[in-house]
Structure formats: C-alpha cells, structure tokens
Amino acid sequence: MADKRSDEIKLGVFYWPGGHHVAGWRHPDGETDSAFNYQRCVELAKTAQRGKFDLFFLADLVGIRPENLDAQAGAARAVYFEPLTLLAALAAVTDRIGLVATATTTYNEPYHLARKFASLDLISGGRVGWNLVTSHNQAEAANFSANPHMAHADRYVRATEFAEVVKGLWDSWEDDAIEANKETGRYFDPAKMHFLNHNGPLFSVKGPLNVPRSPQGQPVIVQAGSSGPGRDLAAQTAEVIFTAAESLAEGQAFYADAKGRLAAHGRSPDDLVIMPGIFPVIGRTEAEAKEKYEYLQSLVQPSVGMFLLQHLLGRDLSAYPLDEPLPDLADHDGAKGRTEVILRMARKDNLTLRQLYLNVAVARGHNVVIGSPGQVADVMEAWFDGRAADGFNVLPPVFPTGLNEFVDLVVPELQRRGRFRTEYSGATLREHLGLRKPAFKAPDAR
C-alpha cells in the first residue's frame, strides 16, 4: 500500500455543455441550453465554488468539422460561449474559485493572448489560468486562412516560442512599478517597466504589455498535451497538466514521466500539479450507480458514438465492420496523445468498434468510476497516494446533477477523511494549488 500523502487532493471541474457523456444532454436531468445560457453557467460555477473546488475549467475549439453533420447533430457539442468572454463574466459573480480557459497557440498572436489573460487575472483578483493548446484539425485551420493545417511538429515549435513570448510579456512590469504618486506627479517608475524585445524564428514582439502584474504574478499555465512533444512543452512551461489515464498503472507511468522531465529545465516536482480526468457515476449504492450508467449508455446513438470516435482518432472508420476489432491504423497528424490512450484501450481488451465507441462515448479515455460516494473517494485516494495524481479534473456525466452529486456526496466524504479542504485558505489560484508566485524576471535575464 502506498504511503498516505500529507497534502490535500486538488479538484477542478471540467465544464462541457450538457455533460461529459455524449448522450448526457438527452438524460431527463440534462440541460439542453447551458451552452448558450449564461445563468446556467453561473449556477455551475457557484456550485463548484460551494464545493471548494480549486478551479472551473473551460475547453474550446475554434471550428466545426464539415463532415458527418447528421451525426454531429446528435451531440450537444457544436455551439458554446467563447471561453475568455465567459471567464470575464464568471469572474464578476465568483470570488474564490480559480477560472481556467483554453486558448490555442496555433491561431492566436502572443500579444493579444497575453493581454487578455493578464486583464482577466486582474479582474478576478489573481484567479485565472491559461490552458495552452495547439489546434489539431483542419476545420480550425479553415477559419484562419490556413491551408493546409500546420503539421504536428510545427505546431509544437510554434507553441514553445509562443509561450516564451507570453511569459515574457507578463513580466513587462515589476510588482511595484505603478506608483500613482499625486505628490510627485509620477504615475509609474520607468525603470520598472521593461521592453521584451523578442526576436525569434517565428515572432518579433517588442512589448511592453500595457497591463500590470496581478496578485498572483502571472496566470497559471495549464497544458493538456500527452504526446511526446506535448510532454516536453509541459516540462518547460506548464504548472498544471490535465491528462487522461484509464488505469492506476497508466496514471502512475504518466505522473513519473512528466515529473521526471522537470529537472532538465531547472524545475522541481512541486512546480507541477498533475490532474487526470475522472468520470464519476455516483449512486447512493453501487447498484444504483450501475443502473445510472446503463441508462446513459442506452441513450448513445450509434452514429454519434462513431463520429466521436472518428473525431478523437482523427480518421474515417466507416469502411470497417462495427462488430470486429479495431484494425491497425496508419499514423496521422491530429491530437496524438488522446489517440494513443484510445488505441491502448482498444488493444488491451480487444474491443470491437462498437464496444470502443461506447467506451469513448462515456469519457473519451478518462478514468470511469461507477459506485457509491465512498467507492469514488476510495479510487481518488488510491490514485493520489499512489502518485498517479495530485488531484483530479472532474467530468460529470450530466450537468447539473452530476456536479451536484459530486459536491453533495463525494466532497463531504473526502473532507471527512481529511483529504480535501473544508474552506479556502488562499485567495488566488496559485494559493489553492500550492504553486509559488513566479518572481519577476526582467527581459535581459530571460
């Protein structure tokens, strides 16, 4: 048995309209309008804050695939708020929970993105994080005059320099640069304002950013890439990793690998929080939870399940029989980390395409836990103490009931065991996660 850790489990909730089960929106409790109903988003963020969650997380894509529209029409995943806009609105109606939004390095410019997140961090009082991603499909490229879409390796080269520029811009002002001294007539100290003067292979950015530093110094950088290049980028830049692992052993292997890459960049294991996804189906008893799960599975439309599987694997599978095992597939240029998770799942249990799309419809390769609140807490403790996770990104099957059940049933169980906070002790996202405030680093020292 693993030694019990002395720190506490970190918790995020991954918001996705309707729920994380692909048929969650069809459940009688499922919301059908939360993707574009601001008040519903407010209620969910406040519920997570009531549960003392570390953060509320918003994903994003900047395109809709033009193929298989009839299948896509069966999933509530085509329309939703632009995440930075929603984050600003949520910052105004919450006061403690961290707020993390996704923004791509492939189809943004560093100055724009740095300025927006720096502003959000000030507005929220230091509660914001940036989920740094690279865009992974041609549908996104088509909206930004990019034809063809940038190759996988090139996307990560761009992302690495992009992140370097953004972090440099966030250090345009020292913490005490703004004097606002009415007696002397000086608003800021010019010696404490710094030009970046970045000239790299892809970006030329003079700076400075016209937004000062926030109470947490810089927004927290989150990363979700699990491929080799994704892990390398995370080792250099990330402070939180969202990842997918189906089993404890897979989680432990990823955890050891990710933490093991930090030393090469002058970083320590405490500089990175690893939060795999967990998909909890909660019942008062295990039997009740299993009944809930089977009902959700009965709502999956085959065309929708296949579309989701094809989207995650980045290829057309329509020529293959549904009730035969997944064939060998050639490499592709999409999101490689998630593809590897799903292929391992298929090979391990020799799943047919039908079985695989039903598995993917549940949690897209994340850990599925079906049981009572105590059983869910048992799994979380095992992963936490077993060094497979520092915390979890919770993926409720159905919104709002899945989140309500977790907050009302699982959180009190974790608190009873002394594994999760009963009150917030800090004000910023960094304080929640136990991450240090980054010291100011002048451009000439970078």
Side-chain angles (χ1 to χ4, degrees):
M1 180 179 288
D3 292 336
K4 184 174 180 178
R5 292 173 60 166
S6 60
D7 53 333
E8 292 180 333
I9 291 171
K10 314 294 188 296
L11 285 180
V13 58
F14 184 166
Y15 168 64
W16 197 252
H20 281 274
H21 192 284
V22 75
W25 71 276
R26 299 185 66 202
H27 190 281
D29 295 338
E31 294 175 339
T32 57
D33 65 346
S34 60
F36 44 87
N37 185 324
Y38 168 61
Q39 287 304 322
R40 295 226 190 256
C41 296
V42 170
E43 291 164 10
L44 292 171
K46 287 185 173 181
T47 298
Q49 183 168 270
R50 176 171 63 83
K52 314 304 178 187
F53 273 61
D54 295 78
L55 60 91
F56 187 85
F57 170 58
L58 303 171
D60 193 35
L61 289 172
V62 289
I64 296 176
R65 289 175 176 269
E67 67 271 12
N68 298 323
L69 290 178
D70 287 342
Q72 288 191 64
R77 298 184 174 180
V79 293
Y80 40 86
F81 289 116
E82 191 282 317
L84 272 69
T85 308
L86 179 57
L87 219 62
L90 293 178
V93 295
T94 58
D95 59 2
R96 300 303 286 274
I97 192 167
L99 302 166
V100 178
T102 299
T104 174
T105 59
T106 311
Y107 299 118
N108 273 302
E109 284 293 318
Y111 193 95
H112 278 141
L113 192 145
R115 189 175 186 227
K116 290 173 182 177
F117 274 100
S119 297
L120 285 169
D121 211 29
L122 279 174
I123 290 168
S124 66
R127 294 186 288 128
V128 162
W130 167 34
N131 182 39
L132 186 167
V133 301
T134 64
S135 292
H136 64 264
N137 67 61
Q138 183 61 42
E140 295 183 88
N143 290 329
F144 296 92
S145 306
N147 192 17
H149 183 40
M150 195 179 298
H152 184 270
D154 294 337
R155 297 198 298 270
Y156 276 96
V157 170
R158 177 183 171 91
T160 301
E161 188 179 345
F162 193 111
E164 179 186 346
V165 174
V166 168
K167 287 170 67 69
L169 288 169
W170 284 340
D171 273 345
S172 293
W173 300 85
E174 298 182 34
D175 289 290
D176 58 350
I178 307 300
E179 296 178 355
N181 190 318
K182 294 183 179 182
E183 297 299 320
T184 65
R186 190 164 78 165
Y187 189 76
F188 70 89
D189 183 349
K192 295 182 178 181
M193 184 269 286
H194 299 269
F195 289 88
L196 180 61
N197 292 319
H198 176 91
N199 287 291
L202 298 174
F203 300 107
S204 177
V205 181
K206 185 174 182 61
L209 197 66
N210 55 355
V211 183
R213 279 167 70 84
S214 82
Q216 67 172 349
Q218 294 186 358
V220 173
I221 294 184
V222 181
Q223 224 265 322
S226 295
S227 65
R231 295 186 197 197
D232 287 338
L233 178 62
Q236 295 176 59
T237 65
E239 297 164 290
V240 178
I241 294 182
F242 293 154
T243 187
E246 236 204 333
S247 68
L248 175 63
E250 284 182 17
Q252 289 171 325
F254 181 90
Y255 187 99
D257 180 80
K259 298 265 187 175
R261 294 176 187 238
L262 296 173
H265 301 283
R267 306 179 68 200
S268 76
D270 291 339
D271 291 333
L272 180 65
V273 175
I274 296 178
M275 300 175 68
I278 183 171
F279 181 99
V281 183
I282 305 162
R284 299 282 176 177
T285 64
E286 182 178 0
E288 182 182 296
K290 287 181 176 178
E291 186 178 340
K292 286 184 176 183
Y293 174 79
E294 293 303 329
Y295 179 68
L296 277 167
Q297 290 295 78
S298 73
L299 299 176
V300 178
Q301 301 170 80
S303 62
V304 176
M306 275 300 292
F307 168 74
L308 180 59
L309 178 61
Q310 292 179 138
H311 170 71
L312 291 170
L313 291 179
R315 63 203 84 202
D316 182 9
L317 302 173
S318 59
Y320 303 113
L322 282 180
D323 294 307
E324 292 184 12
L326 184 72
D328 290 332
L329 300 173
D331 194 18
H332 70 106
D333 209 42
K336 294 182 183 292
R338 185 55 53 84
T339 296
E340 290 166 6
V341 170
I342 294 168
L343 290 178
R344 280 198 305 270
M345 181 197 309
R347 304 291 181 234
K348 182 180 69 173
D349 298 321
N350 197 34
L351 300 178
T352 66
L353 274 179
R354 190 186 307 276
Q355 291 169 326
L356 187 58
Y357 81 60
L358 282 170
N359 278 12
V360 165
V362 180
R364 308 182 306 283
H366 291 282
N367 183 26
V368 178
V369 183
I370 305 167
S372 67
Q375 289 173 312
V376 174
D378 287 343
V379 171
M380 295 173 74
E381 281 194 297
W383 281 54
F384 183 63
D385 290 333
R387 297 302 196 277
D390 297 312
F392 300 89
N393 207 16
V394 179
L395 287 65
V398 178
F399 281 113
T401 53
L403 178 59
N404 291 336
E405 289 168 346
F406 194 94
V407 167
D408 293 335
L409 300 174
V410 178
V411 167
E413 179 64 21
L414 292 172
Q415 291 169 333
R416 185 186 66 78
R417 301 180 187 195
R419 309 317 298 265
F420 187 62
R421 68 170 65 88
T422 56
E423 286 296 337
Y424 291 107
S425 58
T428 70
L429 178 55
R430 289 183 180 279
E431 289 170 335
H432 299 342
L433 296 171
L435 294 168
R436 62 182 177 81
K437 177 181 177 179
F440 172 83
K441 187 181 290 185
D444 58 3
R446 303 194 76 84

